């Protein structure tokens, strides 16, 4: 008995001790179920609060150009950590609840339940603490740097600093919402746009996000939306599966609430911003779009006045080339720097070519390698190492010409030498004869088609329009090499188009397969004789201009080229005759003999029944073109400044040419002028007229009829005292309606050494005059006189005038009696006109005054100028440019 009692007392003590130890944290077990419910509920509250904060943060980051606070990011990180721990606790939730017994007041394994319950209580406290910390007044702070993805760019960039600042100013200023960069392939457009993109990371520009997208040909709306969506964190499987319209709406909802910059690289057609979901940039939303393209037409479709990215200046090009070649190579031999400059010059400032060819030459340490490079680049540059990278890039512009008709016209331009200035109208004549333009349409229609093609090529940066002479175009040297490469079927058939210009040839080059030759240009060589009988049955164009040594062309040669349609022999000053076998050129449509030394045309020429264009300018020994009336298909005759001028018999012959449309002619007799003006059909053909030494001995008045096609008039050393526009229906030559245009296409007038003229009021009838020169005519008192012009009320002269030149007019007192607007005027050049005290200018004249210049020679004349008011003086005085006494007037016609 005593033993049993002793054992009983020992058990009670043990139980009491355990109970006392557990009492302190009994709730870990007995309230486990309740604590788990509380923990779950509080966690849901914390997660909801976390979601609200994240939504707020993302919205402010993308719509107001802000960055999340560090404490907010820290809180979100802590919530994420707690959530992971919470989820871990829940994995054993059911097991721990099943472990409880005695209605939840005890556990089958007290120790495990105790530890689990303790973790739940600690988690509950942590959740409550985090939840109390998640009430933020602000969650983001203003971010001074735009959200951009900086792009890699080569370190050796030269010559874009000025252009970069210009585009940056336009893009970040208030003037332009869309900025277009256009230029030829390889000129550096993408490089410039990349620098603009990266510049946003350097400067506080006020934009929330900068997005870069490469568009390329045939823009894929869905792909572009995808690229934009990635920058806006809109990616994900659900978004990827949405249709284009819904994706556009999502993009719009994000971009519509912030200022953004969208950079579109390499576009080939109009990009529909609305279809992408991009809000249209405006002054109100402050957003910007910039793009690059090779086509000026695309810029027009996008509604912008583009920035042209041009090739590097020679000094900049040489600097870039030196960087690519490297100092060690350039110092490898004393002759290499000079040779390297010549190689760099072959790139004509095109950055792509400078980079590729510079890298190719970087390993060339021998002088012979550099000389060989020059030889290859001068003869057939497509074979030069590295050109296989350049030419296909440039060819993309050719491939994407939107008018197939433009492609052969472009390739034809490669027949001319490097940097050759091609006359637009002459090009069109060549193209028409070759069949690129329908020769059966009217002259006006053919010209319209030709100018449209030139416009397409210029806007595609495949031809370059001359800045000074808008009637000429030229081709970049590297683009020309690309054209030659394409014309030879990408180098596979080099003899298809043979171009060896300015290389010192003394004879026609040897050709393995003459039958494959279609076009040949041997301009500017030293060929003396053309003989032999190669079978050139496909040859259609032969250029032999400016072979000063050319003396003889054999009979046999003409017999072998029966399909020839264009033959240009101009500028061969030693060529005195042509064989009568020229008659064998039965397909010939174009012949140019200008600047040759022939006295007479070969009799065989009269048999060329398909000849349409004949140029005989500046033939100083030409005495006769008798028999020209036999050229039954002739449409255009040019006979300017030759010894042979228009005479009475020629006027009669010309009237027999039923298809004649253009007549450019020199006249030296007033009787011939009278007879010509009496032939209405010939008057209608007049395009350029040169009057030299014509004396109006009877009335002293030169009366001109309406001439719709007249473009240019040159009058030199003539004795008339007045020029009038002749009419037959009204009593006064000055009483016609202001809307009447007698000379609607007259654009150029040159008058010199006409001592009888006193005014040129007749120019009121030339509303499209662009260039006027009046020189050495001492009796001219006014250009437009008030007395004669008053009867023509409503006419404002010189609305299209771009250039005005007045020289040595001792009596000139007035250009016009009152100020004129001169909306197109760029240059006034006045010398030795000391009586001219007042210019027809006021403070509103000349639209683009920043491009305007007034050239003068005498300081005393400038000091005596009278101004309408101080505003006019201040507007124009800065644009006077002095030309010193060494300046001499030179005429090149």
């Amino acid at each position: 008995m005593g033993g049993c009692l002793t054992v009983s007392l020992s058990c009670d003590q043990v139980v009491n001790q355990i109970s006392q130890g557990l009492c302190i944290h009994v709730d870990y077990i007995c309230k486990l179920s309740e604590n788990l419910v509380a923990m779950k509920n509080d966690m849901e509250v914390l997660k909801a609060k976390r979601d609200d904060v994240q939504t707020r943060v993302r919205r402010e980051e993308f719509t107001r150009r802000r960055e999340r606070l560090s404490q907010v990011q820290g809180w979100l990180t802590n919530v994420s950590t707690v959530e992971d721990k919470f989820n871990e606790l829940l994995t054993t939730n059911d097991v721990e609840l099943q472990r409880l017994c005695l209605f939840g007041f005890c556990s089958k394994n007290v120790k495990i339940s105790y530890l689990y319950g303790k973790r739940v209580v600690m988690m509950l406290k942590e959740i409550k603490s985090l939840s109390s910390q998640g009430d933020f007044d602000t969650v983001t702070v203003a971010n001074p740097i735009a959200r951009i993805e900086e792009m890699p760019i080569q370190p050796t960039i030269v010559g874009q600093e000025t252009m970069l600042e210009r585009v940056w100013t336009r893009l970040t200023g208030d003037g332009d919402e869309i900025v277009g960069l256009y230029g030829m392939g390889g000129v550096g457009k993408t490089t410039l746009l990349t620098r603009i993109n990266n510049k946003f990371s350097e400067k506080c520009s006020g934009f929330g996000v900068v997005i870069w997208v490469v568009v390329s040909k045939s823009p894929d709306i869905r792909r572009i939306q995808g690229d934009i969506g990635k920058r806006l964190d809109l990616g994900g499987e659900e978004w990827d599966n949405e249709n284009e319209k819904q994706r556009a709406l999502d993009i719009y909802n994000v971009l519509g609430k912030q200022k953004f910059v969208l950079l579109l690289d390499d576009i080939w057609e109009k990009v529909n911003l609305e279809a992408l979901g991009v809000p249209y940039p405006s002054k109100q939303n402050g957003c910007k779009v910039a793009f690059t393209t090779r086509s000026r037409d695309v810029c027009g479709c996008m509604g912008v006045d583009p920035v042209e990215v041009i090739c590097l200046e020679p000094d900049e090009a040489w600097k870039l080339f030196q960087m690519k070649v490297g100092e060690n190579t350039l110092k490898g031999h004393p002759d290499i720097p000079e040779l390297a400059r010549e190689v760099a010059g072959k790139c004509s400032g095109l950055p792509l070519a400078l980079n590729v060819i510079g890298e190719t030459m970087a390993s060339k340490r021998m002088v012979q390698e550099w000389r060989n490079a020059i030889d290859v680049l001068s003869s057939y540059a497509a074979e030069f190492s590295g050109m296989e990278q350049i030419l296909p890039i440039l060819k993309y512009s050719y491939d994407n010409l939107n008018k197939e008709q433009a492609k052969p016209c472009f390739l034809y331009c490669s027949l001319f030498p490097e940097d050759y200035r091609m006359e637009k109208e002459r090009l069109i004549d060549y193209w028409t004869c070759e069949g690129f333009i329908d020769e059966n349409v009217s002259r006006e229609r053919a010209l319209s088609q030709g100018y449209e093609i030139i416009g397409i090529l210029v806007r595609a940066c495949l031809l370059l329009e001359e800045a000074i002479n808008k009637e000429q175009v030229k081709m970049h040297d590297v683009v020309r090499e690309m054209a030659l490469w394409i014309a030879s079927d990408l180098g596979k058939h080099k003899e298809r188009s043979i171009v060896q210009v300015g290389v010192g040839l003394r004879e026609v080059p040897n050709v393995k397969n003459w039958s494959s030759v279609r076009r040949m240009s041997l301009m500017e060589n030293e060929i003396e004789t053309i003989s032999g009988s190669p079978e050139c049955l496909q040859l259609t164009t032969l250029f032999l201009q400016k072979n000063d040594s050319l003396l003889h062309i054999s009979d046999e040669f003409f017999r072998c080229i029966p399909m020839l349609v264009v033959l240009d022999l101009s500028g061969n000053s030693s060529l005195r005759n042509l064989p009568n076998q020229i008659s064998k050129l039965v397909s010939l449509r174009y012949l140019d003999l200008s600047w040759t030394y022939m006295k007479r045309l070969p009799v065989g020429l009269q048999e060329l029944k398909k000849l349409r264009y004949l140029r005989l300018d500046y033939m100083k020994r030409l005495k006769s073109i008798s028999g020209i009336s036999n050229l039954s298909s002739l449409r255009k005759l040019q006979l300017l400044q030759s010894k042979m001028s228009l005479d009475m018999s020629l006027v009669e012959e010309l009237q027999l040419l039923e298809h004649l449309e253009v007549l450019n002619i020199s006249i030296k007799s007033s009787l011939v002028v009278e007879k010509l003006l009496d032939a209405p059909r010939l008057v209608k053909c007049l395009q350029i007229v040169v009057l030299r030494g014509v004396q109006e001995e009877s009335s002293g008045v030169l009366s001109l009829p309406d001439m719709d096609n007249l473009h240019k008039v040159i009058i030199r050393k003539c004795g008339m005292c007045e020029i009038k526009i002749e009419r037959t229906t009204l009593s006064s030559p000055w009483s016609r309606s202001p809307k009447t245009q007698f000379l609607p296409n007259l654009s150029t007038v040159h008058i010199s050494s006409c001592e009888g003229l006193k005014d040129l009021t007749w120019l009121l009838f030339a509303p499209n005059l662009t260039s006027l020169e009046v020189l050495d005519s001492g009796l001219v008192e006014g250009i437009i006189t008030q007395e004669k012009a008053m009867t023509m009320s409503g006419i404002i002269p010189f609305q299209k005038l771009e250039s005005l030149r007045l020289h040595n007019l001792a009596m000139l007192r007035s250009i016009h009696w009152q100020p004129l607007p001169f909306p197109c005027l760029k240059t006034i050049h006045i010398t030795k006109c000391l009586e001219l005290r007042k210019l027809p200018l006021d403070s509103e004249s000349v639209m683009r005054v920043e491009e305007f210049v007034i050239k003068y020679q005498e300081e005393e004349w400038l000091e005596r100028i009278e101004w309408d008011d101080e505003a006019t003086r201040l507007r124009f005085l800065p644009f006077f440019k002095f030309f010193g006494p060494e300046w001499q007037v030179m005429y090149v016609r």
Side-chain angles (χ1 to χ4, degrees):
M1 293 292 291
C4 291
L5 178 64
T6 301
V7 171
S8 176
L9 287 172
S10 297
C11 289
D12 288 343
Q13 288 174 356
V14 172
V15 170
N16 286 336
Q17 288 175 2
I18 293 173
S19 299
Q20 288 173 4
L22 293 174
C23 254
I24 300 170
H25 297 297
V26 67
D27 287 351
Y28 287 167
I29 295 175
C30 67
K31 290 189 176 181
L32 177 59
S33 180
E34 181 182 337
N35 288 341
L36 280 170
V37 172
M39 183 182 70
K40 291 178 181 178
N41 290 337
D42 285 0
M43 191 63 201
E44 289 303 316
V45 172
L46 179 60
K47 287 163 67 176
K49 187 172 289 189
R50 185 265 322 268
D51 292 344
D52 288 343
V53 171
Q54 282 185 332
T55 300
R56 187 174 161 197
V57 166
R58 287 172 178 167
R59 182 176 65 248
E60 292 187 13
E61 282 180 332
F62 279 100
T63 61
R64 298 194 311 182
R65 196 171 178 274
R66 300 175 70 83
E67 190 175 74
R68 66 184 66 186
L69 292 168
S70 297
Q71 62 179 349
V72 173
Q73 182 58 48
W75 182 82
L76 290 170
T77 302
N78 291 337
V79 171
S80 180
T81 303
V82 166
E83 187 178 15
D84 291 340
K85 290 160 65 177
F86 167 81
N87 290 332
E88 183 187 355
L89 276 175
L90 288 185
T91 58
T92 58
N93 173 48
D94 293 340
V95 174
E96 294 299 334
L97 288 175
Q98 291 172 7
R99 201 187 303 277
L100 297 177
C101 61
L102 297 177
F103 304 104
F105 288 99
C106 195
S107 171
K108 297 172 184 177
N109 190 324
V110 174
K111 183 178 180 180
I112 292 176
S113 294
Y114 167 79
L115 293 174
Y116 183 77
K118 183 178 180 180
R119 289 173 64 194
V120 170
V121 170
M122 297 303 294
M123 175 62 68
L124 185 58
K125 289 180 179 179
E126 193 171 357
I127 290 172
K128 287 181 179 294
S129 175
L130 273 177
S131 187
S132 66
Q133 296 170 23
D135 297 321
F136 298 102
D137 293 330
T138 58
V139 294
T140 59
V141 64
N143 180 10
I145 303 301
R147 291 171 52 93
I148 74 160
E149 290 181 349
E150 192 164 347
M151 303 181 65
I153 192 168
Q154 59 177 330
T156 53
I157 297 175
V158 177
Q160 284 193 336
E161 286 71 20
T162 302
M163 182 69 70
L164 177 64
E165 287 305 315
R166 179 184 171 193
V167 176
W168 178 262
T169 300
R170 285 185 62 170
L171 196 58
T172 57
D174 296 329
D176 299 282
E177 282 67 55
I178 302 181
V179 177
L181 309 178
Y182 94 100
M184 63 185 293
V187 80
K189 303 180 296 298
T190 298
T191 299
L192 185 59
L193 198 66
T194 303
R195 295 184 70 184
I196 290 168
N197 176 82
N198 293 351
K199 193 166 183 175
F200 280 106
S201 67
E202 304 167 5
K203 296 194 175 185
C204 178
S205 56
F207 294 98
V209 61
V210 179
I211 304 170
W212 175 286
V213 179
V214 177
V215 179
S216 297
K217 190 177 184 296
S218 301
D220 183 338
I221 296 295
R222 190 169 184 82
R223 180 187 64 78
I224 297 171
Q225 286 177 331
D227 290 342
I228 295 173
K230 288 176 185 176
R231 293 288 291 116
L232 302 179
D233 285 347
L234 291 175
E237 184 176 350
E238 182 179 348
W239 194 76
D240 289 343
N241 291 330
E242 289 180 349
N243 59 40
E244 290 179 7
K245 186 173 291 187
Q246 184 59 50
R247 284 156 66 103
L249 184 60
D250 294 340
I251 292 172
Y252 186 86
N253 287 336
V254 176
L255 290 181
K257 298 173 183 176
Q258 64 177 312
K259 286 177 65 177
F260 64 85
V261 177
L262 177 61
L263 305 177
L264 302 171
D265 187 37
D266 194 28
I267 73 174
W268 291 82
E269 57 186 72
K270 181 180 179 180
V271 174
N272 189 336
L273 298 180
E274 182 181 354
L276 294 175
V278 176
Y280 200 84
S282 65
K283 286 183 172 59
Q284 288 69 35
N285 62 29
C287 302
K288 304 285 183 175
V289 172
F291 64 86
T292 67
T293 180
R294 297 190 195 184
S295 170
R296 191 182 179 100
D297 282 341
V298 170
C299 296
C301 292
M302 294 292 288
V304 301
D305 182 19
V307 176
E308 183 178 7
V309 183
I310 60 176
C311 291
L312 300 178
E313 294 294 328
D315 290 345
E316 295 171 338
W318 171 236
K319 184 178 179 180
L320 175 58
F321 193 72
Q322 288 181 91
M323 290 180 179
K324 288 296 176 181
V325 173
E327 187 176 349
N328 290 336
T329 297
L330 290 171
K331 290 182 176 179
H333 189 281
D335 291 347
I336 287 181
E338 184 178 347
L339 296 171
R341 277 189 177 273
E342 192 170 347
V343 173
K346 296 292 182 182
C347 300
S348 298
L350 185 67
L352 173 65
L354 290 162
N355 279 307
V356 173
I357 294 177
E359 289 169 357
T360 300
M361 299 304 297
S363 60
K364 312 296 184 185
R365 303 288 177 90
M366 294 189 297
V367 175
Q368 293 83 354
E369 292 176 298
W370 284 87
R371 288 176 178 151
N372 180 65
I374 293 170
D375 289 341
V376 175
L377 287 169
S378 299
S379 56
Y380 190 68
E383 294 182 344
F384 185 84
S385 177
M387 290 299 280
E388 70 277 3
Q389 301 176 48
I390 299 171
L391 298 181
I393 293 174
L394 298 179
K395 184 176 179 288
Y396 206 55
S397 295
Y398 169 85
D399 291 337
N400 284 279
L401 288 171
N402 57 15
K403 194 180 186 72
E404 283 296 317
Q405 192 181 10
K407 291 182 177 180
C409 295
F410 164 70
L411 298 180
Y412 199 89
C413 296
S414 65
L415 297 175
F416 298 93
E418 292 181 355
D419 298 317
Y420 191 85
R421 288 167 172 79
M422 299 169 277
E423 294 177 17
K424 291 179 181 178
E425 192 164 324
R426 187 180 297 214
L427 270 180
I428 295 169
D429 290 344
Y430 289 143
W431 294 344
T432 304
C433 292
E434 277 278 6
F436 307 150
I437 296 173
D438 188 355
E439 65 179 357
N440 295 315
V441 301
S442 68
R443 172 72 178 173
E444 184 178 358
R445 180 73 179 273
L447 285 174
S448 296
Q449 292 180 15
Y451 277 109
E452 180 190 6
I453 291 170
I454 290 172
I456 289 171
L457 297 175
V458 168
R459 293 189 295 273
C461 299
L462 293 174
L463 289 181
L464 306 173
E465 195 166 53
E466 282 291 278
I468 298 175
N469 189 347
K470 297 294 185 182
E471 293 305 309
Q472 296 178 338
V473 289
K474 65 178 183 178
M475 184 179 275
H476 187 280
D477 292 351
V478 181
V479 173
R480 176 176 174 271
E481 294 299 335
M482 181 265 289
L484 290 170
W485 178 61
I486 296 172
S488 66
D489 194 14
L490 310 187
K492 298 173 186 175
H493 302 98
K494 297 176 185 176
E495 293 180 346
R496 184 175 294 174
S497 181
I498 295 178
V499 181
Q500 295 189 33
V501 296
V503 293
L505 292 178
R506 294 186 176 276
E507 59 184 18
V508 175
N510 292 322
V511 179
K512 292 181 180 179
N513 185 11
W514 279 105
S515 62
S516 67
V517 181
R518 295 180 181 177
R519 296 181 186 92
M520 176 179 282
S521 178
L522 305 177
M523 296 172 62
E524 300 180 1
N525 282 296
E526 299 171 19
I527 297 172
E528 296 180 2
T529 300
I530 297 177
S531 58
S533 54
E535 291 295 326
C536 303
L537 299 181
Q538 292 194 68
L539 185 66
T540 57
T541 288
L542 178 60
F543 283 171
L544 290 166
Q545 300 97 301
K546 296 184 179 179
N547 280 271
D548 290 335
S549 303
L550 184 60
L551 296 170
H552 177 68
I553 299 177
S554 71
D555 300 350
E556 294 82 6
F557 184 75
F558 282 146
R559 291 195 185 100
C560 298
I561 47 177
M563 301 305 293
L564 195 71
V565 294
V566 174
L567 175 60
D568 197 327
L569 292 165
S570 62
N572 293 312
S573 55
S574 299
L575 188 61
R576 295 173 180 266
N577 55 66
L578 285 175
N580 283 329
Q581 279 68 27
I582 194 173
S583 61
K584 301 301 180 181
L585 302 181
V586 293
S587 301
L588 196 66
R589 286 165 171 77
Y590 184 104
L591 177 62
D592 192 343
L593 300 175
S594 302
W595 294 98
T596 59
Y597 212 52
M598 289 184 281
K599 289 184 178 180
R600 289 180 176 81
L601 302 181
V603 175
L605 188 143
Q606 298 178 30
E607 299 180 33
L608 301 179
K609 301 304 180 183
K610 292 186 178 181
L611 191 67
R612 292 177 173 236
Y613 302 87
L614 179 60
R615 298 177 69 111
L616 305 171
D617 300 331
Y618 296 93
M619 297 179 69
K620 298 303 182 181
R621 299 179 75 232
L622 186 63
K623 293 183 177 180
S624 171
I625 58 172
S626 177
I628 197 171
S629 58
N630 291 311
L631 301 176
S632 55
S633 298
L634 195 65
R635 290 191 175 189
K636 181 176 181 178
L637 173 65
Q638 192 143 315
L639 184 64
L640 296 172
Q641 311 286 25
S642 293
K643 182 174 183 179
M644 167 71 191
S645 58
L646 190 67
D647 58 22
M648 303 293 267
S649 61
L650 184 54
V651 171
E652 292 178 0
E653 275 209 74
L654 293 178
Q655 292 186 74
L656 300 176
L657 294 172
E658 297 180 2
H659 300 289
L660 191 67
E661 294 178 322
V662 177
L663 178 60
N664 297 331
I665 203 81
S666 294
I667 308 173
K668 299 177 182 178
S669 163
S670 59
L671 294 177
V672 175
V673 171
E674 184 177 339
K675 186 173 182 64
L676 174 64
L677 298 182
D678 240 2
R681 200 171 63 79
L682 293 183
V683 169
K684 188 177 180 180
C685 297
L686 292 173
Q687 185 171 298
I688 300 175
V689 175
V690 178
L691 301 180
R692 186 179 181 92
V694 174
Q695 305 296 324
E696 291 292 339
E697 298 173 355
S698 54
S699 65
V701 177
L702 173 63
S703 295
L704 300 176
D706 297 5
M707 289 184 276
D708 290 346
N709 294 316
L710 189 65
H711 285 66
K712 185 174 184 178
V713 172
I714 298 174
I715 304 176
R716 290 179 177 160
K717 297 183 178 180
C718 292
M720 73 283 293
C721 62
E722 186 175 5
I723 300 174
K724 288 184 176 181
I725 302 300
E726 183 183 68
R727 296 169 307 97
T728 57
T729 56
L730 300 174
S731 58
S732 169
W734 309 108
S735 60
R736 207 177 234 202
S737 163
K739 295 183 179 180
T740 299
Q741 298 181 359
F742 291 93
L743 307 168
N745 289 302
L746 182 60
S747 60
T748 302
V749 172
H750 171 94
I751 296 175
S752 62
S753 302
C754 293
E755 296 299 339
L757 285 176
K758 293 186 177 181
D759 69 85
L760 302 174
T761 309
W762 64 277
L763 292 176
L764 286 171
F765 296 108
N768 293 306
L769 189 68
T770 60
S771 175
L772 173 61
E773 293 183 338
V774 188
L775 318 171
D776 301 312
S777 301
L779 295 183
V780 173
E781 298 176 352
I783 303 301
I784 306 292
T785 64
Q786 184 174 7
E787 180 182 356
K788 291 182 179 179
M790 287 303 288
T791 57
M792 294 295 294
S793 58
I795 289 186
I796 301 175
F798 306 137
Q799 290 286 80
K800 302 287 182 66
L801 193 67
E802 297 178 8
S803 173
L804 174 63
R805 186 175 183 184
L806 305 173
H807 171 71
N808 195 23
L809 306 176
M811 302 292 290
L812 182 66
R813 292 181 173 82
S814 170
I815 295 172
H816 193 271
W817 69 92
Q818 63 185 15
L820 295 171
F822 290 118
C824 301
L825 193 60
K826 296 178 180 178
T827 304
I828 296 179
H829 196 161
I830 300 177
T831 50
K832 295 187 179 181
C833 299
L834 298 181
E835 295 300 314
L836 181 63
R837 304 290 179 83
K838 193 171 184 179
L839 300 177
L841 303 171
D842 62 18
S843 59
E844 300 296 323
S845 300
V846 184
M847 185 177 297
R848 296 186 177 181
V849 69
E850 67 278 0
E851 300 176 3
F852 181 61
V853 62
I854 302 175
K855 301 177 183 180
Y856 71 100
Q857 187 176 2
E858 299 86 10
E859 289 287 356
E860 58 177 307
W861 174 77
L862 177 60
E863 293 170 359
R864 293 162 61 186
I865 288 181
E866 300 172 3
W867 301 97
D868 261 10
D869 49 45
E870 184 64 11
T872 304
R873 189 182 74 86
L874 293 175
R875 178 174 174 82
F876 290 104
L877 200 58
F879 300 101
F880 278 78
K881 303 294 181 184
F882 175 74
F883 283 72
E886 72 280 359
W887 176 83
Q888 295 181 349
V889 179
M890 299 189 68
Y891 311 116
V892 180
R893 291 290 184 271

